[in-house]
Amino acid sequence: MDGETCKCSQRFADVDDLGPLQEILERYRGEKGALIPLLQDAQEAYGYLDEKIMRALAKGAGYQLSQLYGVATFYTQFRLQPIGEHLIRVCHGTACHVAGAELISEEIYNILGIRDGETTPDRKFTVETVMCVGACSLSPIMIVDEDTHGKLKPANVRKVLKRYMGESEEREE
Amino acid sequence: MSGNGRTKLVLGYGTCGIAAGAAAVKEALEREVSAGGYDLELDIAGCMGFCFREPIVEVFYPDGRSVVYGDLTPKKVPQLLQAAAAGEVLEEWVVRRSDDPTAGEGDFLANQHRIVLRNCGRLNPESIDEYIARGGYEAARKALTTMTPEEIIDEVSKSGLRGRGGAGFPTGTKWGFARRAKGDQKYLVCNADEGDPGAFMDRSVLEGDPHAVIEGMIIAGYAIGATQGYIYCRAEYPLALKRLDIAIAACRERGFLGEGIFGTDWNFDIKIKKGAGAFVCGEETALIASIEGKRGMPRPRPPFPANEGLWGKPTNINNVETLAAVPWIIAHGGEKYAELGTEKSKGTKVFCLAGKVRRSGLAEVPMGYTLRQVIFDVGGGVREGKEFKAVQLGGPSGGCLPASLLDTPVDYEAITATGAIMGSGGMIVADSSTCMVDLARYFLSFTQAESCGKCVPCRLGTKRMLEILTRICEGEGEPEDLERLEVLAADIKAASLCALGGTAPNPVLTTLKYFRNEYEDHIFHHKCTAGVCPALITVKINRDLCTGCGACAKICPVEAITGEKKEPHSIDPDTCIRCKLCLSRCPEEAIYAE
């Protein structure tokens, strides 16, 4: 990781650097019921909720660690593990399901060699199943990072993913 | 929209438009307008509802005519600009013409009656001035400066408006409870946690007309006596959240939110709370727990939120669509709204058409329209000449209705009588390629995963139902399974704590009722007639159609397909895992499942 080629190290703060967390704590100081926004902002800053971050957050905001853990594991948005450079979210809403979302997921699993919720060993991709993202008229869809790809067919999944593979390969050269 | 003598181009810029490529079209429009030196105005709007033709642009000519074009790409932009500048119409791209409602897909809109969607796609949602120019905030001003809270509640009661989140509770009555509740502080919450898969009307309203919701909240807050409002919105809707932020900031600047609004001594402000991904938070007591920063689990009622809600204070919770209808009702009068609809279901309802329907998108129709009118007259029927099989209403809490019930009117009581529910308004159309057992299993896997785990009937009951459905889909179903499902369903419905569990069996019960033969096919004949369930199908190649291009063999993950180049290929059924990837790859459509 010494070449700083990994995008995630630029995108997210290091979990040993509690500076960003202090700012987040200040943002919500004194606000009632701010636990969820605290966790959301911490995850946005660090990419995931590391145990170190959770402990510091509990201490700084005056919560029990168990309270934080309870909330963080209840909501699907929160992750306790780091994700890959690119996050692939495959929509499995009803419209996507009847349009064959299962096949889209299968093809992604085939190409990347990982299953739902997993990250590739090279930490390039994490794939997740998500419930409806509300773009049903373009079903089946997947979202890679911030880009939505609609009206997918299993056969063109590889083409879409290649864009993201190529991108990181180029940078490493 | 065009009053200054210039032709204006408005790009649909909601999530669905952007997903379809509107961002690239926007760049091309901006680039080409300045490069070509065109005297054309550019603007954006939310979703107009023509999701099936996104990205779309509407051209407004100075003479008042307008033309909607669809399926745009950056490549088409130069031709579009030339035509717009010359005042010409590109007939072959037309989706809708204001001067010829029969052109293109004009009947999609002509068959609708838009109240909630009155501004969606008609204005720039990031501009408060455009909202005001269309009469925005006049209803709130009228309510706060000329009406008492009781008069407002009366007007809403007269309109017959019922909660559009799904339960259909009369809104005026609900406001009355909160108004009469005793408390030093009251809260108003807008439920924008649109979690039903297949429903996107709330997202479309928030993205396309956020001010309508805020104006509805200002009126509701004043009516019930709440000075603080919350919008609880899904984190999965980043564009809606962004536009709400912009809209709220603009309102504070104009004095529509904050202290002494509209020159009265009334204070009202709104905070946005971002959901964190839990379907159960659409249930009002779970939503309240979530705003308070807890795990979003429902609690028994009473006490109802109207008496003990957020932070233990009287709280009124309304859905996005309900609140967006309120300004129209105050502006035009409750009686005018009640002229539309049936005896007990008044006004209009927005539906999200999706699935195998030809025109997927937003359909707002008067209550009382039949399902057939919505799906066929507005939605254009089923895609690609396939046959209509079922419509799924109300998401995971709803049900699947067959063709024989297509003449059921859209009305809370009439739909409930079928075993489905009106729900939030998702309408997923299924054709002969949809397996109803698989669809029921899909919904159960959703509710099972989303069950918060607090009460046993829901936590374990849905798990048991899912296990049974899964084994039926895998060809391991037992003859007694249908009865087991029915018994479990009855228990779960009767004993669950909240509506998530209470309605979870509906997709199973309705498919058992209307499509029992498909369950029997799976269990007794080991057949999935729709060709969906992997364990019950065989994937085959039609040797007459196969050209031997080898595309299928290349995509097959288990190398089950073999054949000489340019000779018909074949699939080894023992190696085939029936993933059906080859089906989508075949250019000749020679591969089929049966």
Side-chain angles (χ1 to χ4, degrees):
Chain A
M1 216 50 61
D2 47 356
E4 286 301 308
T5 47
C6 174
K7 202 170 155 192
C8 47
S9 60
Q10 294 155 23
R11 211 165 28 147
F12 301 121
D14 193 283
V15 293
D16 289 317
D17 173 15
L18 294 182
L21 189 71
Q22 289 309 323
E23 274 172 45
I24 292 165
L25 284 166
E26 279 315 309
R27 205 175 295 160
Y28 295 101
R29 184 136 345 257
E31 194 178 313
K32 227 177 1 172
L35 181 47
I36 292 172
L38 276 168
L39 289 169
Q40 284 170 331
D41 288 11
Q43 179 160 297
E44 211 177 298
Y46 294 95
Y48 72 105
L49 297 169
D50 190 82
E51 192 184 322
K52 280 181 217 161
I53 300 299
M54 296 268 269
R55 285 189 185 279
L57 214 154
K59 209 170 149 199
Y63 290 104
Q64 295 293 327
L65 185 60
S66 58
Q67 250 177 305
L68 256 71
Y69 188 77
V71 169
T73 51
F74 183 84
Y75 296 96
T76 53
Q77 189 192 12
F78 299 118
R79 350 186 146 79
L80 306 182
Q81 299 294 328
I83 51 164
E85 190 179 338
H86 299 291
L87 177 63
I88 304 167
R89 285 171 292 170
V90 189
C91 182
H92 278 231
T94 318
C96 288
H97 179 79
V98 298
E102 209 81 48
L103 298 180
I104 303 295
S105 284
E106 277 304 321
E107 178 61 358
I108 295 171
Y109 302 156
N110 280 339
I111 294 169
L112 298 178
I114 49 170
R115 309 286 303 177
D116 185 23
E118 295 176 351
T119 301
T120 51
D122 63 1
R123 306 205 73 84
K124 280 226 168 81
F125 291 99
T126 298
V127 61
E128 256 177 25
T129 295
V130 293
M131 278 311 158
C132 197
V133 294
C136 309
S137 36
L138 296 164
S139 61
I141 72 165
M142 69 172 174
I143 303 171
V144 186
D145 301 332
E146 304 294 316
D147 315 327
T148 306
H149 303 275
K151 297 185 180 168
L152 287 171
K153 282 184 178 159
N156 49 30
V157 166
R158 187 182 289 273
K159 209 172 118 195
V160 174
L161 290 185
K162 263 196 178 150
R163 273 186 240 173
Y164 300 89
M165 291 173 181
E167 199 183 285
S168 48
E169 273 156 22
E170 266 164 35
R171 218 185 14 258
E172 275 179 5
E173 276 162 14
Chain B
M1 229 161 147
S2 178
N4 54 6
R6 286 172 83 196
T7 299
K8 184 171 174 176
L9 278 74
V10 179
L11 173 69
Y13 214 62
T15 294
C16 44
I18 295 169
V25 173
K26 185 166 182 267
E27 259 176 52
L29 280 169
E30 285 161 357
R31 193 179 57 234
E32 296 292 330
V33 163
S34 64
Y38 288 110
D39 183 31
L40 296 168
E41 208 177 318
L42 294 180
D43 204 356
I44 57 160
C47 179
M48 201 188 287
F50 287 106
C51 305
F52 61 106
R53 296 295 295 274
E54 296 276 8
I56 64 163
V57 163
E58 184 161 15
V59 182
F60 292 88
Y61 295 102
D63 62 6
R65 284 178 308 139
S66 75
V67 182
V68 179
Y69 296 115
D71 304 314
L72 290 172
T73 59
K75 266 192 193 153
K76 290 181 176 171
V77 164
Q79 204 184 335
L80 170 73
L81 291 175
Q82 269 174 20
E88 290 163 3
V89 174
L90 296 159
E91 295 293 347
E92 64 275 28
W93 299 356
V94 167
V95 174
R96 177 181 181 265
R97 289 181 70 142
S98 65
D99 56 358
D100 180 8
T102 59
E105 314 267 7
D107 50 337
F108 178 73
L109 272 193
N111 284 314
Q112 300 196 30
H113 190 109
R114 291 193 159 185
I115 290 179
V116 168
L117 301 176
R118 59 194 177 276
N119 293 323
C120 283
R122 320 303 309 164
L123 52 73
N124 182 338
E126 298 181 10
S127 160
I128 192 170
D129 289 322
E130 288 196 17
Y131 183 69
I132 292 170
R134 286 178 66 89
Y137 290 107
E138 279 313 307
R141 188 186 303 276
K142 174 183 171 189
L144 266 67
T145 58
T146 69
M147 296 170 84
T148 65
E150 286 74 17
E151 282 168 348
I152 295 171
I153 294 174
D154 222 38
E155 205 59 47
V156 173
S157 294
K158 251 191 269 173
S159 76
L161 178 66
R162 295 168 66 170
R164 295 292 188 248
F169 193 80
T171 307
T173 311
K174 198 170 186 180
W175 287 11
F177 291 149
R179 174 83 209 158
R180 288 189 298 274
K182 290 198 171 36
D184 50 345
Q185 170 74 55
K186 292 179 190 176
Y187 295 105
L188 170 75
V189 179
C190 168
N191 185 348
D193 192 43
E194 185 174 56
D196 275 15
F200 51 93
M201 68 288 290
D202 292 353
R203 171 181 68 68
S204 303
V205 172
L206 293 169
E207 287 179 2
D209 195 16
H211 286 287
V213 181
I214 294 171
E215 186 174 4
M217 288 182 75
I218 295 171
I219 297 166
Y222 174 70
I224 64 167
T227 53
Q228 180 64 53
Y230 287 92
I231 300 176
Y232 186 91
C233 182
R234 291 179 86 197
E236 288 89 337
Y237 289 174
L239 188 61
L241 284 160
K242 179 189 147 201
R243 290 193 176 150
L244 279 170
D245 267 332
I246 294 172
I248 288 172
C251 283
R252 286 194 189 127
E253 216 168 85
R254 302 293 170 106
F256 299 164
L257 285 175
E259 289 180 7
I261 53 182
F262 299 108
T264 65
D265 57 1
W266 183 246
N267 306 333
F268 184 73
D269 210 341
I270 296 174
K271 258 190 205 158
I272 295 177
K273 284 278 178 179
K274 215 160 67 162
F279 173 68
V280 69
C281 287
E283 197 279 341
E284 55 182 20
T285 59
L287 188 152
I288 287 169
S290 185
I291 295 181
E292 291 173 347
K294 299 175 190 151
R295 288 161 71 93
M297 291 164 114
R299 60 159 176 80
R301 298 174 299 180
F304 286 92
N307 295 309
E308 268 181 55
L310 188 58
W311 319 115
K313 306 288 186 190
T315 303
N316 179 73
I317 301 174
N318 290 128
N319 160 267
V320 169
E321 195 186 329
T322 314
L323 288 164
V326 167
W328 192 96
I329 290 168
I330 296 300
H332 298 84
E335 275 162 16
K336 186 92 188 144
Y337 188 82
E339 281 173 13
L340 295 164
T342 61
E343 194 198 336
K344 285 183 174 170
S345 302
K346 301 293 187 192
T348 60
K349 174 81 192 91
V350 185
F351 290 99
C352 293
L353 286 167
K356 303 297 173 73
V357 67
R358 202 171 69 72
R359 298 169 180 159
S360 60
L362 294 171
E364 182 171 359
V365 296
M367 295 278 191
Y369 255 45
T370 62
L371 293 172
R372 189 188 302 279
Q373 282 173 299
V374 180
I375 295 165
F376 288 85
D377 296 353
V378 179
V382 179
R383 253 190 254 167
E384 290 150 21
K386 281 212 171 119
E387 210 165 310
F388 173 92
K389 186 189 217 173
V391 56
Q392 207 285 336
L393 291 176
S397 312
C400 298
L401 304 182
S404 59
L405 290 174
L406 274 173
D407 292 312
T408 308
V410 169
D411 165 288
Y412 286 99
E413 281 70 28
I415 291 190
T416 306
T418 65
I421 62 162
M422 177 86 85
S424 54
M427 235 186 228
I428 309 273
V429 175
D431 65 14
S432 50
S433 67
T434 311
C435 167
M436 303 314 283
V437 186
D438 172 71
L439 193 60
R441 183 195 58 81
Y442 163 78
F443 280 117
L444 250 291
S445 71
F446 177 85
T447 34
Q448 203 279 317
E450 294 293 342
S451 170
C452 80
K454 185 168 180 169
C455 72
V456 176
C458 175
R459 183 181 68 230
L460 295 182
T462 56
K463 180 92 180 152
R464 291 291 92 83
M465 283 184 86
L466 177 60
E467 284 166 0
I468 296 173
L469 289 163
T470 304
R471 73 170 174 248
I472 296 177
C473 288
E474 287 173 353
E476 312 275 322
E478 295 161 15
E480 302 79 21
D481 276 348
L482 298 185
E483 201 195 325
R484 287 188 188 121
L485 282 174
E486 279 161 342
V487 171
L488 272 166
D491 290 350
I492 296 168
K493 273 178 90 100
S496 290
L497 173 62
C498 80
L500 189 155
T503 57
N506 287 349
V508 182
L509 288 174
T510 48
T511 44
L512 274 172
K513 188 169 167 188
Y514 301 117
F515 301 95
R516 202 178 187 90
N517 59 323
E518 291 200 26
Y519 283 87
E520 289 165 353
D521 278 347
H522 280 66
I523 296 174
F524 301 110
H525 311 294
H526 292 272
K527 246 177 84 180
C528 174
T529 38
V532 171
C533 296
L536 303 174
I537 57 169
T538 317
V539 182
K540 289 180 181 164
I541 296 178
N542 182 337
R543 297 181 66 86
D544 296 334
L545 294 177
C546 179
T547 60
C549 72
C552 52
K554 227 183 263 174
I555 202 173
C556 178
V558 291
E559 293 174 9
I561 307 178
T562 49
E564 291 299 317
K565 220 170 176 174
K566 295 191 179 166
E567 293 293 322
H569 282 43
S570 58
I571 303 174
D572 173 14
D574 297 328
T575 317
C576 175
I577 54 169
R578 297 172 287 266
C579 68
K580 295 199 287 184
L581 283 173
C582 49
L583 258 87
S584 78
R585 195 75 191 91
C586 180
E588 307 299 327
E589 295 184 12
I591 310 179
Y592 60 98
E594 65 167 24

